[in-house]
Amino acid sequence: MLSGVLARAVAAVRRIRRLERRELGAFGRWIQHTGNLLHLTVLVAVPLLIALVTLISNALAELSFLLFPPLASGAYTLFSDPEGRYASPWKFTVGLVVGACCGWAALRLSAPLPIGSATVSPASAALSIFLTGAVTWLLDVEEPAAFSTALLVLVTDDASPEAYVTSVAAFGALVAGVFSLWRSRFYERRAQYLYDTAQGDDHVLVPMRGDPAAAETTALFGATLAAAHDAGKVVLLAVLDPESGADGGAEAEVGSPSADDPDPAATRDAAERLEATARTVRTRAGVPCEVVVARGSPVRTTVETAANTNCDLVVAPYEEDRGLLSPYVRGVFESRFDAVAFRSTTGTRRWDRVLVTVARPGDTAHAMLDFAARLAGPSGSLSVCTCIDAEVERRRAESRLADLAETVDADVETRVARSRVTEFIGANAGAYDLLIVGSSGDRSRASRFLSPPTFERLHEVDCDVAVVDRGQP
């Protein structure tokens, strides 16, 4: 009885943990969208900053509550668009101060009603806005919140205009300093904090399947990805048929066969072929390269070998079965590991010009761009493209691509094309060494049935193709 209760309790805890992992994974993918990250930051940072200013103002009776509206609107402007026109800490602070000073000057120049009066002089209001617009324009410190401080200084009833201007300068500098620190230490480095591929995907497993020449090119492709990180390594895998009548697991054998190997000659030959390729990989890519020969079912053996060798990325040769992905590639895509299916069309072994096609923002898009930056290197060229149906979508598409381009340490050309993605690729792929597309793994079955994935329609592309799939959580 007691054992049954304990078993049910343990099962319940495991289900809760699986649910927590799924929820955390979903949240991680959600926050990788730059727009979502900025919305969440605004919801957290702006209230905390205003709470801090309120705490200080409560301790200093001479500070006016009218300080808060321009600080709140200005902070929102900064954090909601950290790369925008008004996202300058210096312009933000100077703009607020200039607005307050112009309002103060308007009080003196237009002979206003006594301070504390319930009525604001129309002349003071008009003059304060005019002066603010003129001065911020001349100084090139245009800031929307400056007009708020210019007007609010006219109605300061619990503090003098001089104290208001001083507090605007002090607390404006505080908000600008927090924003500057957040942008430089987190936002501009968000790839290393939020995107898994920026830190991982440096231990690459390459199943050596199909044509030997294509398999060797695939190994060099995987090695180029691994070489971008100091800890990169490559593991070459040969999967042999399991012993007749047995569903062999990933009983990996490295180098020489074991005593109970059912076919030691085949194992030895496979190991020798892998070692020859490994020498080429070490020489050309300069990364450590191991070899593994295993017997078992291909998908299961590949996944287990990736786990046993501490790999986090599988780069497999692209395979088709009656116009669709082969069961092997589909099985690898359905595993928990990030995967790339690579199709060598030109035989090139350097990928200096890379084109990435992006349908929507997300972790797959970031992974594709990260892989492209690794392959192109500092001297290569990298383009990221998205296709739209109507001209009204162009501005939002350009903004999405700009957000993506900011996350990699490379010069990225962004292109927005009003055409079908297959037509764009057909017209432009010849100018590139490599085309990177997503696997459409985040689409529903119905969506993939109605509109097959792009990569399944690219049979005559004049460059190499890499299909990227993010691992299942």
Side-chain angles (χ1 to χ4, degrees), residues 254-339:
V254 183
S256 59
S258 63
D260 58 352
D261 190 340
D263 191 350
T267 301
R268 187 178 299 106
D269 291 344
E272 291 175 354
R273 289 194 298 270
L274 293 187
E275 283 292 355
T277 303
R279 287 192 292 270
T280 302
V281 168
R282 297 185 192 106
T283 301
R284 294 180 64 95
V287 294
C289 187
E290 304 172 3
V291 300
V292 174
V293 179
R295 293 185 179 275
S297 60
V299 173
R300 177 183 172 188
T301 303
T302 299
V303 173
E304 292 186 1
T305 303
N308 294 338
T309 56
N310 196 32
C311 290
D312 45 18
L313 174 65
V314 178
V315 175
Y318 184 88
E319 298 176 0
E320 286 188 351
D321 181 15
R322 291 172 290 186
L324 303 175
L325 282 180
S326 70
Y328 174 77
V329 176
R330 288 203 307 270
V332 173
F333 278 2
E334 291 170 357
S335 73
R336 64 183 179 88
F337 295 98
D338 291 350

Side-chain angles (χ1 to χ4, degrees), residues 355-356 369 382-386 394 397-406 411-417 424 432:
L355 173 64
V356 180
L369 204 58
L382 172 57
S383 299
V384 58
C385 165
T386 192
R394 181 173 298 276
E398 289 174 345
S399 179
R400 290 197 302 268
L401 292 186
D403 290 338
L404 280 173
E406 293 168 1
D411 293 331
V412 182
E413 175 195 28
T414 59
R415 305 181 64 176
V416 177
F424 175 84
Y432 296 91

Side-chain angles (χ1 to χ4, degrees), residues 199-259:
Q199 295 296 320
D201 288 339
D202 49 10
H203 292 181
V204 182
L205 176 71
V206 182
M208 301 292 285
R209 296 169 55 88
D211 178 69
E216 183 173 290
T217 303
T218 302
L220 290 171
F221 178 87
T224 306
L225 291 175
H229 290 175
D230 293 337
K233 76 169 184 178
V234 177
V235 177
L236 305 181
L237 169 66
V239 181
L240 305 181
D241 290 335
E243 185 178 0
S244 178
D247 183 18
E251 295 294 332
E253 301 173 14
V254 183
S256 59
S258 63

